[in-house]
């Protein structure tokens, strides 16, 4: 699973690279898209998309998040790679990456054909000329992808698509139903200094968690004027850091790998804190009395894209993989295994759990409008302000060290 | 190679002692010089660079900003002191447990039992570090067998467990070299147990203790995984390095932080050297 934070340069970084920085996102955009770069924020290197499919090369080399290309070796029942190999004759060689940095570095080696990039890696890859535009006409299943995921700032530039949407999810609030009463509907349960669960709160161990505090401040301290949790000026940043320093007194432990959080909730060492849906599912399956919710303040989250390398040696098999992973069946399997919303609208009927799409709000754009997809903060404010400089990720990292003390 | 050629080569090497020596030493010197000292030099050099906060690229211009930040920000001092404290505590605990054990192994056990005890000490090293750390996480969790909870204490306990063999083995080897006749002589001259220990055993075993402490101290100083697993909300030097590389991609600052344990170990080794223990290793 995603055991490490994955936030290098991102979307808006590149938007800011361009001179037309002012065109990048405006403060009034709804959440989830506000981190978008301007439509012509930067000019990607000119790389041609594949014009037509040729003969299969017999293999394809993938870089992906853990759980995105399962061949049954982890769980014999979880396997969408073997059917792909049988159907297409393309042998899959997969490489798991732990962070977005790692993904970008692996793609720069030129040894891989396709990658499952998150919003904080995709535009770096595009700007660096590491990935090519994707000719979606060659991917039949693309037609069935939710419209709300197509042509988004993290997978397209100037209307040119650079990949196919894989799935998305939100960071949620999880609590133990036997310990936390009444059921919380707000992040205040993990931020309020008077929280009765002192010492049993858990938080995500990454500088990007500062954005979670900013999301909470957006709702509770409107006078700070935070428009985008990834664009914080000095005063806003200080407020978020102060909130987290105060939260530290409540925190029992910070988590970054998911087995650790599952175990902490099972044993009752943690009773409330931020989580992913997949963690909640595993904890529930292990018998822990936990529930999750998307709190009323909204939350942070992710949205991933499959991209094809600019110098792919096996482009035909890569295209076939892209088509396969967003096909209704495979997309349903991977979304269910990883615990996220599928990108193919046909997947919802094929999940083993008929309520999967409901649980993960696959069709609920209203739900995702409250989700701020992970983006790397840069000095150029992502919300379009030009009169102040924002804190960049290096400063977020230092602040995170200081918060943990 | 023909026989004649081989013989000529052998004769040449026999006559030229310098060539012989340099051939023998070139491999270890290469390793020491390039792989080890070279890596350290690269580390120190990259600590003087910075990253462009805008593009994330390395800026290869010399600046002391990283070290300035390291020395002025209070949080890094706190973390350094905490890390040294943990390393010292682990070393002390391991010494207290390992010494009697090593003594029993070297002096009291039969030769047959000795072999089995050495194997028993080595066995935990066959299991993965992560498995052992997670086992302690389960033991220490509030519904676990011990149930003491997580934090710095849990970290010290777990690290002490992990590095114990590295303390036992050098002391065992040191005590094994200690002739039994010395202990008997001390007894014959009227020394009781404590006096024999203080005046005979401890001074002779001291270099071995130092060797063990170098292992446990340096291993604890660099650890960042155990503290992530059982440390609750605490962090050590290793975590700061890890966070700066993994998440922020700020290699220069990570390198600057990484020089801190190097400096601490150099100071430690210098202190040890003053005691003369290194000459007796």
């Amino acid at each position: 699973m995603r055991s490490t934070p994955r936030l290098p340069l991102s979307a808006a970084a590149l938007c800011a690279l361009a001179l037309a920085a002012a065109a990048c996102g405006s403060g009034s955009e709804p959440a989830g898209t506000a981190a978008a770069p301007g439509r012509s924020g930067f000019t990607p290197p000119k790389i041609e998309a594949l014009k037509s499919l040729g003969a299969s090369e017999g293999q394809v080399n993938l870089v992906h998040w853990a759980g995105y290309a399962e061949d049954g070796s982890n769980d014999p029942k979880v396997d969408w790679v073997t059917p792909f190999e049988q159907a297409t004759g393309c042998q899959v060689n997969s490489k798991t990456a732990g962070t977005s940095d790692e993904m970008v570095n692996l793609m720069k080696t030129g040894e891989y054909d396709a990658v499952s990039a998150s919003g904080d890696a995709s535009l770096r890859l595009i700007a660096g000329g590491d990935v090519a535009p994707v000719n979606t006409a060659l991917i039949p299943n693309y037609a069935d992808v939710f419209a709300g995921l197509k042509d988004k700032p993290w997978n397209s530039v100037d209307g040119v698509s650079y990949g196919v949407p894989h799935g998305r999810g939100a960071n949620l609030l999880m609590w133990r139903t036997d310990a936390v009463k009444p059921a919380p509907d707000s992040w205040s349960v993990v931020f309020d200094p008077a929280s009765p669960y002192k010492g049993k709160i858990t938080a995500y161990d990454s500088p990007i968690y500062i954005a979670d505090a900013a999301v909470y401040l957006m709702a509770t301290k409107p006078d700070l004027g935070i428009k985008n949790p990834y664009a914080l000026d000095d005063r806003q940043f200080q407020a978020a850091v102060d909130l987290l320093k105060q939260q530290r007194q409540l925190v029992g432990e910070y988590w970054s790998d998911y087995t650790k959080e599952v175990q902490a909730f099972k044993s009752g060492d943690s009773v409330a804190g931020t989580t992913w849906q997949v963690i909640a599912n595993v904890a529930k399956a292990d018998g822990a009395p936990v529930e999750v919710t998307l709190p009323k303040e909204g939350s942070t989250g992710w949205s991933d894209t499959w991209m094809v390398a600019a110098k792919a040696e096996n482009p035909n098999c890569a295209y076939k993989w892209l088509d396969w992973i967003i096909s209704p069946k495979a997309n349903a399997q991977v979304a269910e295994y990883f615990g996220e919303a599928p990108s193919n609208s046909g997947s919802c009927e094929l999940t083993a759990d008929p309520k999967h799409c409901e649980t993960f709000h696959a069709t609920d754009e209203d739900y995702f409008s409250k989700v701020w997809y992970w983006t790397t903060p840069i000095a150029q404010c992502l919300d379009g302000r030009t009169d102040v400089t924002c804190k960049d990720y290096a400063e977020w990292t230092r602040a995170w060290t200081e918060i943990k003390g | 190679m023909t026989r004649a050629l081989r013989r000529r080569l052998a004769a040449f090497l026999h006559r030229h002692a310098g060539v012989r020596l340099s051939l023998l030493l070139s491999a270890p010197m290469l390793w020491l010089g390039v792989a080890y000292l070279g890596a350290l030099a690269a580390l120190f050099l990259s600590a003087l660079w910075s990253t462009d906060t805008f593009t994330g690229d390395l800026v290869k211009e010399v600046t002391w900003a990283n070290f300035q930040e390291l020395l002025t920000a209070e949080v890094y001092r706190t973390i350094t002191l905490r890390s040294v404290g943990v390393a010292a505590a682990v070393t002390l605990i391991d010494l207290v447990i390992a010494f009697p054990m090593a003594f029993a192994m070297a002096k009291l056990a039969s030769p047959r039992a000795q072999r089995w005890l050495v194997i028993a000490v080595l066995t935990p090293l066959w299991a993965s570090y992560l498995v052992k750390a997670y086992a302690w996480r389960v033991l220490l969790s509030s519904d676990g067998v011990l149930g003491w909870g997580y934090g710095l204490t849990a970290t010290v306990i777990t690290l002490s467990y992990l590095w114990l063999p590295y303390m036992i083995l050098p002391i065992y080897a040191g005590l094994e070299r200690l002739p039994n006749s010395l202990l008997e002589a001390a007894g014959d001259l009227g020394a009781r147990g404590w006096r024999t220990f203080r005046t005979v055993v401890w001074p002779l075993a001291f270099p071995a203790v130092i060797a063990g402490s170098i292992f446990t101290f340096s291993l604890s100083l660099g650890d960042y995984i155990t503290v992530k697993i059982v440390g609750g909300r605490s962090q050590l030097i290793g975590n700061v390095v890890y966070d700066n590389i993994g998440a922020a991609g700020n290699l220069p600052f990570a390198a600057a932080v990484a020089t801190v344990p190097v400096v601490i170990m150099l100071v430690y080794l210098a202190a040890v050297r003053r005691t003369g223990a290194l000459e007796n290793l």
Side-chain angles (χ1 to χ4, degrees), chain A residues 33-312:
Chain A
T33 56
R39 278 288 127 184
S40 354
F42 71 100
T43 315
K46 191 132 189 65
I47 297 165
E48 287 293 316
L50 204 62
K51 292 247 164 29
S52 60
L53 283 185
S56 132
E57 295 89 353
Q59 62 163 352
V60 61
N61 303 314
L62 306 175
V63 175
H64 57 87
W65 294 111
Y68 274 21
E70 290 295 312
D71 60 0
S73 52
N74 286 328
D75 179 347
K77 290 197 290 289
V78 180
D79 183 0
W80 51 89
V81 167
T82 314
F84 168 75
E85 292 174 339
Q86 282 161 356
T88 62
C90 298
Q91 179 73 34
V92 172
N93 306 315
S94 78
K95 167 84 185 159
T96 307
T99 65
S100 284
D101 282 316
E102 203 183 335
M103 270 187 189
V104 173
N105 290 336
L106 284 171
M107 287 310 285
K108 281 191 191 299
T109 64
E111 289 169 22
Y112 299 91
D113 302 310
V115 58
S116 66
S118 294
D120 49 354
S122 53
L123 285 202
R124 278 175 92 187
L125 291 167
I126 296 174
D130 301 311
V131 292
V134 166
N135 184 350
T136 52
L138 301 177
I139 300 174
N141 283 311
Y142 187 73
D144 300 324
V145 170
F146 288 115
L149 285 170
K150 284 182 185 172
D151 197 22
K152 287 294 167 195
W154 57 89
N155 58 28
S156 303
V157 177
D158 295 332
V160 177
S161 179
Y162 274 82
V164 295
H166 170 99
R168 55 185 168 173
N171 298 317
L172 303 168
L173 172 62
M174 177 157 76
W175 72 93
R176 261 182 83 108
T177 48
D178 57 346
V180 180
K181 286 172 184 163
D185 67 341
S186 159
W187 288 114
S188 64
V189 69
V190 298
F191 284 122
D192 188 350
S195 174
Y197 312 109
K198 187 172 176 172
K200 299 202 172 238
I201 299 292
T202 189
Y204 187 46
D205 189 1
S206 161
I208 205 64
Y209 187 68
I210 294 172
D212 289 60
V215 168
Y216 179 68
L217 288 174
M218 279 166 82
T220 52
K221 292 238 177 81
D223 53 307
L224 283 169
I226 301 176
K227 294 280 185 286
N228 177 328
Y230 304 101
L232 304 175
D233 64 28
D234 287 355
R235 198 168 73 97
Q236 296 163 340
F237 188 72
Q238 200 50 51
V241 169
D242 288 344
L243 178 63
L244 289 166
K245 279 187 178 162
Q246 183 188 307
Q247 187 203 31
R248 186 182 179 272
Q249 309 306 319
L250 309 173
V251 168
E253 72 174 358
Y254 293 96
W255 68 273
S256 59
D257 83 79
Y258 97 111
T259 44
K260 188 172 141 177
E261 197 189 21
V262 168
Q263 194 256 332
F265 269 87
K266 250 172 74 183
S267 63
D269 287 313
S270 297
V271 300
T274 180
T275 195
W276 300 323
Q277 184 77 46
V278 63
I279 298 178
N281 295 354
V282 174
K284 269 189 204 174
D286 282 357
V290 295
E291 279 304 330
V292 288
T293 188
L294 182 71
K296 60 185 180 197
E297 294 91 358
S299 186
T300 53
W302 72 89
S303 178
D304 293 347
T305 308
W306 277 99
M307 310 180 115
V308 176
K311 298 190 180 105

Side-chain angles (χ1 to χ4, degrees), chain B residues 202-257:
Chain B
W202 179 256
L204 287 171
F206 190 64
V209 169
I210 290 297
S213 78
I214 291 171
F215 284 132
T216 54
F217 193 81
S218 64
L219 287 170
S220 308
L221 202 59
D223 186 87
Y224 68 97
I225 300 173
T226 297
V227 68
K228 266 200 176 255
I229 294 172
V230 298
R233 58 189 183 190
S234 30
Q235 58 180 346
L236 301 177
I237 295 179
N239 301 91
V240 179
V241 176
Y242 177 83
D243 287 346
N244 272 291
I245 295 177
N250 192 347
L251 207 61
F253 189 69
V257 178

Side-chain angles (χ1 to χ4, degrees), chain B residues 91-92 94-96 98-100 102 166-175 177 197 201-217 268 272 275 277-278 280-281:
Chain B
T91 304
L92 217 66
D94 275 349
L95 176 62
V96 168
F99 202 96
Y166 296 96
M167 186 62 111
I168 294 180
L169 289 176
I171 300 182
Y172 165 73
L175 288 175
R177 283 199 311 233
F197 173 77
V201 179
W202 179 256
L204 287 171
F206 190 64
V209 169
I210 290 297
S213 78
I214 291 171
F215 284 132
T216 54
F217 193 81
Y268 186 71
V272 165
T275 67
L278 289 183
N280 298 320
L281 272 182

